[in-house]
Structures are given as structure tokens and as C-alpha cells.
Amino acid sequence: MKTETNKMSAGELKEQGNRLYGARKYDEAIACYSKAIQKNPSDPRFFTNRALCKLRLRRWDDVCQDCRHALDLDGVNVKAYFFLGQAQLEQDLYDEAITSLKKAHDLAKEQKLNFGDDIASALRAAKKKKWINLEEKRIQQEVELQSYLNRLMLEDKDRKLQKLKDSPNEDEKEGKEEEVKEGLEEQKQQTESDYNKHVQELNELFATIDDRRRKREVPDYLCGKISFELMREPVITPSGITYDRKDIEEHLQRVGHFDPVTRVKLNQDQLTPNLAMKEVIDCFVTENQWVEEF
């Protein structure tokens, strides 16, 4: 095969690489794309094709390198940004991944390229992973804060009890030991009672926060019928179906001029802002600030 590929043109090597990729022979496909690059290093498609093979092999650093080579040759290459974003996401580089995938999404719309929901889905996944990562850090910080506050209250209680034990009392010198002991016991019990009350209140507060976190859900009626995400700019069609404007406009541009649910003919100028739904969404976001990060 080595002799055969040496005689092939860069274009033929690319086609051979595509066939090998289709057969899931990724390493062999990479070899073909690499030879194509040697023959013609100015074609960004060879780099993005090789990057896709490396993506399948989970070689994230190599994917990023090939995508950046492709972008040096073609700064508006959708596939390069798309594959780069996927690799960055796998490396937990959430901000970088979101930036790359957002660029891929915007360029695809500008160039009217149909990637279906692939890029949008990857972008949603990147945003969700970033939010989950931040949420895990917040939970850890809350656990540490709760432990710290509990420890402070325990130390405060111990200090108060020790002070009661060490403090001299004139009544003891006057032969009132029993009264003194009863008084000290009452103060100790009060200290213990105050401590237990404050600990319970603190732990109930953090339990409430945990309960609210578990209930973090966006109601279905606030989600778009296409992306299934919280709508930001709801519009209603003549059929009475509400969509997020960006989703329905993208559908009309890429798929066809019809309502995705009712299949009735639909044009962009027939979309009307759903002001009532917008008010409900704004109210929900105001009361649930976590939505902005999800």
C-alpha cells in the first residue's frame, strides 16, 4: 500500500483517507491525510479530516493542533472550529470550548451550512458541563463553609463552658455551694441548649439550599419546541405554537418554510412576539438566577 499511496495525488490520498475513515480504520486514514498534507500543505480539508480521525481516537491535543493549522489556512473553517471545540471540551477547557463552538455555530449560519443539530448540541453540552463544574465547586464551598461554621459554634460553646468552670464565685466562700452549683448547672444547660438550637438552625438552612438545588428544573412550557431549552425570545406562529425566535428562524432558513409541529406553511414575517410568554420567562429568570449559568 505504501508504494501505491506514494504515486497518488493529494486529492486521491484524501479520497482514500475518506474511505478508510468510513471503514473506521482511523490510523490508516491518518496516514493518508498526512501524505496528502506533505504533497499539498495549503489545503485545510486535509487537516480537518485528519483532526476528525484523531477525535475518534481521543487524541485531543493532536486534534487541537490540526484544527489550528486548518484555521491558519482558512480562518472561517466551520469544521475546524467544531472539532477544536469538541476536543477542548474533552480537556475540560469549558470557556475555550464554548468560544470555539459558538464560532462554529455562527459561521455555519453565515455560510448557510447544514450541520443539523450537531454543533448546537455540542454547544449546549459545553455550557451544561461548565455549569455542572461550577455547581460542584459551589457545593464544595458550601460544605466547607457549613463545617467551618459548625466548628466555630462548637469552639464558642466550649469556651463558654470552660469560662463557667474557671470563674471564681464569692458565694462559694460564703457557704452557698449548693446554690452556686445549681446556678452553674443552669447556665451550662442554657449554653448547651443555645448551641444545639443554633446548630440545628444552621444545618436546616443548608438543607434548604440543597433542596432548592435538587429542584432546579426549567418547566417544559418555558422550553422551545426545537431546542428544548429555555426560550429567550418567544414568538408565536399563526398555528398558535410558540418557539424561540432563533430556533424557528434557523429552521425556516435551513429546513423549510413550514411550522415544525403543525407542518403548515410558514414564513418569517408571520412570526409574532409572544409578549405574555416573555413576561413569564423574565419572571422565572429573575427568581431563578442559576438559569443564567445553565
Side-chain angles (χ1 to χ4, degrees):
M1 181 177 175
K2 185 174 182 180
T3 305
E4 294 177 3
T5 56
N6 286 338
K7 297 178 181 178
M8 297 169 72
S9 67
E12 290 170 335
L13 285 164
K14 171 181 169 293
E15 294 304 318
Q16 177 69 5
N18 291 352
R19 287 190 290 271
L20 290 167
Y21 173 83
R24 298 186 180 181
K25 296 180 179 180
Y26 302 125
D27 285 313
E28 294 178 39
I30 287 172
C32 284
Y33 296 134
S34 297
K35 288 184 177 180
I37 290 170
Q38 290 175 0
K39 291 178 178 288
N40 180 8
S42 61
D43 193 328
R45 295 175 302 170
F46 304 157
F47 289 100
T48 54
N49 285 13
R50 190 170 70 174
L52 181 56
C53 291
K54 293 173 179 178
L55 198 63
R56 297 289 178 259
L57 295 172
R58 306 178 67 82
R59 289 160 54 178
W60 314 127
D61 287 333
D62 291 344
V63 174
C64 294
Q65 187 175 8
D66 272 350
C67 288
R68 291 192 176 100
H69 277 307
L71 290 170
D72 286 340
L73 297 169
D74 177 11
V76 292
N77 191 298
V78 177
K79 287 185 177 180
Y81 278 114
F82 183 26
F83 300 156
L84 177 61
Q86 292 179 74
Q88 289 169 330
L89 181 57
E90 293 293 342
Q91 295 174 304
D92 296 334
L93 301 172
Y94 304 115
D95 290 329
E96 293 88 338
I98 290 170
T99 298
S100 297
L101 292 168
K102 182 72 167 57
K103 185 70 173 178
H105 186 266
D106 293 343
L107 286 172
K109 288 181 70 173
E110 290 174 12
Q111 299 172 25
K112 297 183 179 181
L113 299 175
N114 188 0
F115 280 80
D117 191 48
D118 292 348
I119 298 176
S121 177
L123 181 56
R124 290 195 298 271
K127 290 181 177 179
K128 185 172 184 179
K129 283 189 175 183
K130 178 185 176 181
W131 186 85
I132 290 172
N133 179 257
L134 291 173
E135 185 74 347
E136 288 174 350
K137 289 181 179 178
R138 279 192 290 265
I139 292 171
Q140 183 59 36
Q141 289 171 349
E142 288 171 8
V143 169
E144 291 173 358
L145 176 60
Q146 184 178 6
S147 299
Y148 174 69
L149 293 175
N150 273 296
R151 187 169 66 253
L152 285 182
M153 288 191 292
L154 179 60
E155 291 172 354
D156 182 60
K157 181 200 74 167
D158 291 342
R159 267 194 310 271
K160 289 178 179 178
L161 292 175
Q162 189 63 42
K163 186 177 180 181
L164 288 172
K165 182 179 178 181
D166 297 341
S167 60
N169 196 302
E170 293 297 324
D171 290 336
E172 289 183 358
K173 298 176 182 179
E174 298 174 6
K176 298 179 181 180
E177 292 87 351
E178 288 301 321
E179 293 181 20
V180 170
K181 286 181 180 179
E182 289 179 6
L184 285 173
E185 190 60 34
E186 286 180 6
Q187 291 181 62
K188 288 178 182 178
Q189 289 177 2
Q190 186 62 50
T191 299
E192 290 282 0
S193 176
D194 290 344
Y195 165 73
N196 291 332
K197 178 186 175 183
H198 294 151
V199 167
Q200 182 178 356
E201 290 174 347
L202 176 69
N203 292 336
E204 285 177 353
L205 174 62
F206 278 95
T208 301
I209 294 172
D210 287 339
D211 187 55
R212 288 178 179 173
R213 182 183 291 110
R214 283 192 292 271
K215 293 178 180 178
R216 285 180 174 178
E217 293 181 358
V218 179
D220 289 342
Y221 64 86
L222 298 183
C223 296
K225 296 286 191 298
I226 297 175
S227 68
F228 304 106
E229 291 187 327
L230 179 70
M231 292 183 286
R232 300 294 179 173
E233 192 179 354
V235 293
I236 191 167
T237 68
S239 300
I241 308 297
T242 297
Y243 300 96
D244 203 359
R245 180 179 291 279
K246 64 179 178 59
D247 295 329
I248 188 63
E249 287 183 351
E250 186 171 344
H251 166 84
L252 295 174
Q253 178 186 33
R254 295 188 178 187
V255 183
H257 293 282
F258 60 88
D259 189 310
V261 174
T262 64
R263 315 299 286 184
V264 173
K265 287 185 179 180
L266 179 66
N267 293 311
Q268 189 169 325
D269 56 9
Q270 293 177 286
L271 301 175
T272 305
N274 190 333
L275 301 179
M277 179 62 77
K278 175 64 174 169
E279 185 176 346
V280 173
I281 291 170
D282 288 345
C283 182
F284 179 80
V285 171
T286 300
E287 295 176 357
N288 299 271
Q289 291 297 315
W290 56 267
V291 173
E292 297 290 357
E293 300 177 44
F294 188 77

